[in-house]
Amino acid sequence: MTARTLRVAIMTDETGWHTSRLKRALRARGAQGRCVDLADCRIDTTWAAHGLVIPGYGRGLPDAVIVRGVAGGSFEQVTVRLGILHALRELGVPVYNDARAIERSVDKSMTTFLLHRAGIATPPAWAGESLPHARRVVMREAAAGREVVLKPLFGSQGKGLVRLGGSGENGCAALPSLRDYGGLAYLQRFVPPTRTPGFDWRVLVVGGKAVTAMRRVSEHWVHNVAQGGRCEAQPLTPELAQLAERASAALGLDYAGIDVVPCDDPERGAQVIEVNGVAAWRGLQSVTSFDIAGCIVDDLLTRRLARAQAGAPREAVA
């Protein structure tokens, strides 16, 4: 009897380079990948015993899920989309990364809290709805000769970042209205570059292990590739690997892109500035021969799916 082909749903609101790489890696391992938009999924307790409708899977469920994107929307829409991922996990379907981990990593304030709680070096940060308090933070930091960065709480790719405080030639903007930031100020202390041009590191962690890294170099203080940063190969040192692995573990991520910035402060050393739970890796793949999509798929199939299959039985897949 021929074994049934494993079916993996790739949750994404846009197909392209990343989804093509994942589907190819799945095919190479005898599995089938299908792109599904979470916005097209729904809860329907009349449809099947498990109560979910996942397009392309009839009345059944995929064997596993890889999350490549959760589209923005109203609070209610995003809640239900994440709820679908929560429900799949409750039904025993491995979700990579699952909704709990995505919620932790997409919210910069929770990321900061969890990194701080785990004792991981990360710049001091403040998050709150009070505009007067945010202004006091900026003034206090400026008085100490420091700057802070205002970031969208749910932002990515370096969009919407504003440096605040400072003086002289490099003086930066005062705190703007928080209307464009959802009425909330997330402020992170700016870490000055250690050289010109400045750079940071992106370290990819898969299955709890740092597997590859790169430097993102830019004349601008924002180093994201989407903002013009260039990718350079970077040896994965034991220090970088350990820091990234600890950051990923603190948020409970299956795979993660950990952004690390060098620091002149000998007491703090390198610091984690962001953790990406739906990490892109096209730039990283351009400077390494390491097969990133293949590594992600291998970890899903050999660790997460194998662990799920060894556990309690779940709803049968049609």
Side-chain angles (χ1 to χ4, degrees):
M1 180 176 178
T2 303
R4 182 179 59 80
T5 300
L6 290 173
R7 303 190 300 174
V8 178
I10 303 171
M11 297 298 187
T12 180
D13 58 318
E14 54 182 49
T15 59
W17 186 88
H18 289 87
T19 55
S20 295
R21 289 287 179 123
L22 289 170
K23 290 170 76 172
R24 186 173 70 184
L26 286 162
R27 283 196 305 271
R29 291 152 178 81
Q32 178 193 66
R34 177 191 294 273
C35 292
V36 179
D37 191 337
L38 276 168
D40 296 330
C41 301
R42 63 185 185 273
I43 292 173
D44 185 343
T45 57
T46 69
W47 176 250
H50 51 69
L52 292 181
V53 179
I54 310 297
Y57 292 92
R59 296 181 185 273
L61 297 170
D63 294 290
V65 169
I66 299 174
V67 181
R68 267 305 313 153
V70 179
S74 68
F75 179 77
E76 291 82 1
Q77 288 172 319
V78 173
T79 296
V80 170
R81 291 167 192 169
L82 290 171
I84 297 292
L85 299 180
H86 280 297
L88 285 164
R89 178 182 177 276
E90 292 298 318
L91 291 167
V93 178
V95 180
Y96 194 102
N97 288 305
D98 72 20
R100 296 174 306 167
I102 290 173
E103 287 166 351
R104 294 182 188 121
S105 62
V106 75
D107 174 356
K108 291 183 177 63
S109 65
M110 181 53 62
T111 297
T112 293
F113 169 77
L114 292 171
L115 292 174
H116 175 73
R117 186 166 181 257
I120 296 167
T122 188
W126 304 261
E129 299 180 39
S130 169
L131 181 59
H133 178 264
R135 286 175 174 155
R136 288 195 296 271
V137 169
V138 174
M139 292 174 63
R140 185 175 66 241
E141 289 292 293
R146 296 187 290 258
E147 299 173 20
V148 297
V149 180
L150 173 66
K151 297 183 176 184
L153 190 70
F154 302 135
S156 62
Q157 299 184 325
K159 298 176 181 177
L161 275 58
V162 180
R163 272 170 65 183
L164 307 171
S167 59
E169 182 180 345
N170 296 318
C172 303
L175 186 70
S177 166
L178 299 181
R179 187 177 301 109
D180 294 335
Y181 293 84
L184 184 140
Y186 173 81
L187 301 167
Q188 185 182 66
R189 182 176 292 168
F190 177 65
V191 181
T194 57
R195 73 173 200 187
T196 302
F199 71 95
D200 64 11
W201 295 289
R202 163 61 66 89
V203 184
L204 186 70
V205 178
V206 178
K209 180 178 176 58
V211 294
T212 189
M214 70 173 175
R215 279 189 301 177
R216 301 184 300 186
V217 183
S218 177
E219 299 290 344
H220 193 269
W221 62 274
V222 180
H223 304 128
N224 297 70
V225 175
Q227 302 302 317
R230 68 178 184 272
C231 303
E232 294 183 356
Q234 165 65 43
L236 187 55
T237 65
E239 294 79 14
L240 268 181
Q242 182 184 57
L243 183 60
E245 288 166 3
R246 291 180 61 212
S248 179
L251 274 69
L253 293 158
D254 288 309
Y255 81 105
I258 312 297
D259 295 342
V260 181
V261 64
C263 178
D264 280 332
D265 184 346
E267 292 186 3
R268 300 188 67 85
Q271 299 182 57
V272 176
I273 54 172
E274 289 196 10
V275 177
N276 302 274
V278 188
W281 68 85
R282 188 168 187 172
L284 178 54
Q285 189 66 81
S286 72
V287 295
T288 180
S289 60
F290 185 85
D291 180 8
I292 295 172
C295 181
I296 289 171
V297 168
D298 283 340
D299 186 54
L300 170 66
L301 299 182
T302 62
R303 183 179 62 87
R304 288 296 313 281
L305 186 58
R307 188 170 65 192
Q309 290 174 337
R314 64 172 176 83
E315 298 286 346
V317 178

